[in-house]
Amino acid sequence: MSRRLQLASLLVFLSFLPGLTTAAGKCERLVATGNPEYPPYLWRDPQDPQHLIGTNADLLKQIGKELGLKVDVIYTGSWSKAQDEVRTGRVDLFAGAFLTIPRLETMDYVHPAFLQTQSVVWVKRDRAFPLGTWDDLRGRNGSKLIKSSFGESFDRFAKENLILEPIPNLTQAYQQLLLDRTDYVLYERARGLALADTLGMADDLVALEPPISSEGLYLTLSHNSACNDPWLRGQLAKKMTELVAAGVPKALLERNLERWKASQMQPVSTSELLGSPQ
């Protein structure tokens, strides 16, 4: 056997060994979606509305690049529609979702969580009140965004004990708060501060301590995705662990927070801003 033929035979043999192929999974392209009204984590690209941009999209694309996979983060409609697309496997991944029992039945979570989102009690600065436990919210008139969630424990407590008016968007909720029509607003810290700053309300509002809840944001892979295999799950978890340890998601969040705030300085209506959480 010639030296050239021996070398060719060896390369063919090595290509079948685990871990030596450049793309050991079943897919070279992944499709992801998520909540399209969730800046600075995800929102529709003004230049290409069929795609989503933001912290989660940037992180997922970076992971894909390091794994040699093409990743598209697409707009599939409302958050409810996006969940249907991932559950059925028509879309492979959620680019950011909270951990819930029902979702565990239909998708695999990539650990660790890449970010922790804190939800807080926003109040008018000159009407702040002490907040030690959730019980301190009893008897006060509050508001939250329609269909928003703050973790199963707090949601259950709120349903049984609190007065919460559902509001379409955060701009309106803040306006009602400043007009003394409500005592507090429940919303995320980072996104709430960003919008308050954009609207010129930052000096009039304050977030009480401690947060009412803190939830992790995860990448999830549909059980029905044709790309869901042990290699992909393992590689996603490995890369996520490395990037979280290096502080990459937090850096991307800061970058996209400024990116989103800058976009809101444009002469557009704020009535469409900030949909419900995950």
Side-chain angles (χ1 to χ4, degrees):
M1 183 180 291
S2 69
R3 185 179 184 86
R4 180 177 297 178
L5 184 58
Q6 287 177 327
L7 179 59
S9 299
L10 178 61
L11 290 175
V12 170
F13 171 74
L14 290 175
S15 70
F16 287 99
L17 293 180
L20 292 181
T21 56
T22 57
K26 292 183 285 188
C27 299
E28 295 182 355
R29 176 176 179 266
L30 295 172
V31 179
T33 191
N35 188 340
E37 299 179 343
Y38 199 50
Y41 302 101
L42 281 178
W43 71 98
R44 297 180 75 178
D45 185 350
Q47 306 303 319
D48 183 7
Q50 295 308 307
H51 284 83
L52 301 179
I53 57 176
T55 304
N56 304 2
D58 288 350
L59 178 63
L60 187 50
K61 288 183 177 181
Q62 181 168 338
I63 291 174
K65 182 178 180 180
E66 295 188 15
L67 295 180
L69 302 171
K70 177 176 174 55
V71 178
D72 287 325
V73 186
I74 65 172
Y75 171 70
T76 56
S78 66
W79 176 225
S80 177
K81 176 65 174 175
Q83 293 180 74
D84 289 338
E85 293 297 295
V86 176
R87 275 195 296 265
T88 59
R90 289 190 292 267
V91 172
D92 303 303
L93 289 152
F94 269 146
F98 295 144
L99 181 63
T100 68
I101 299 301
R103 288 180 192 152
L104 285 171
E105 297 175 354
T106 60
M107 57 195 68
D108 293 309
Y109 278 72
V110 176
H111 291 270
F114 58 89
L115 286 168
Q116 293 290 325
T117 62
Q118 290 186 338
S119 293
V120 296
V121 177
W122 288 95
V123 297
K124 192 176 177 182
R125 189 175 295 274
D126 61 8
R127 295 187 62 186
F129 54 85
L131 179 67
T133 67
W134 296 345
D135 284 322
D136 293 321
L137 299 176
R138 292 177 188 262
R140 302 180 186 273
N141 294 318
S143 66
K144 67 170 188 172
L145 268 63
I146 295 172
K147 295 183 179 180
S148 59
S149 173
F150 306 99
E152 293 182 0
S153 295
F154 183 85
D155 288 348
R156 183 168 52 252
F157 172 84
K159 183 178 180 180
E160 296 173 355
N161 301 284
L162 302 183
I163 305 169
L164 291 173
E165 179 186 357
I167 303 292
N169 58 69
L170 189 59
T171 301
Q172 184 177 336
Y174 277 170
Q175 290 171 342
Q176 291 198 10
L177 187 60
L178 293 179
L179 292 171
D180 297 328
R181 293 176 181 170
T182 57
D183 298 316
Y184 65 89
V185 176
L186 301 180
Y187 200 71
E188 289 181 24
R189 183 194 301 277
R191 296 171 64 212
L193 180 59
L195 185 60
D197 184 59
T198 300
L199 297 175
M201 299 178 179
D203 292 338
D204 301 313
L205 300 173
V206 64
L208 300 181
E209 296 292 346
I212 59 169
S213 67
S214 179
E215 293 188 87
L217 269 178
Y218 295 84
L219 294 182
T220 71
L221 183 61
S222 173
H223 288 171
N224 291 317
S225 166
C227 297
N228 190 338
D229 66 5
W231 180 87
L232 180 60
R233 293 194 299 272
Q235 290 299 309
L236 289 174
K238 179 176 181 292
K239 286 298 177 183
M240 185 63 75
T241 300
E242 294 172 354
L243 294 177
V244 169
V248 171
K250 290 183 179 179
L252 291 176
L253 177 60
E254 290 299 320
R255 183 188 309 169
N256 278 281
L257 189 57
E258 293 304 315
R259 178 186 187 185
W260 174 74
K261 285 169 62 176
S263 73
Q264 301 314 304
M265 299 300 180
Q266 304 302 318
V268 297
S269 170
T270 57
S271 63
E272 63 185 18
L273 298 181
L274 295 175
S276 62
Q278 312 291 298

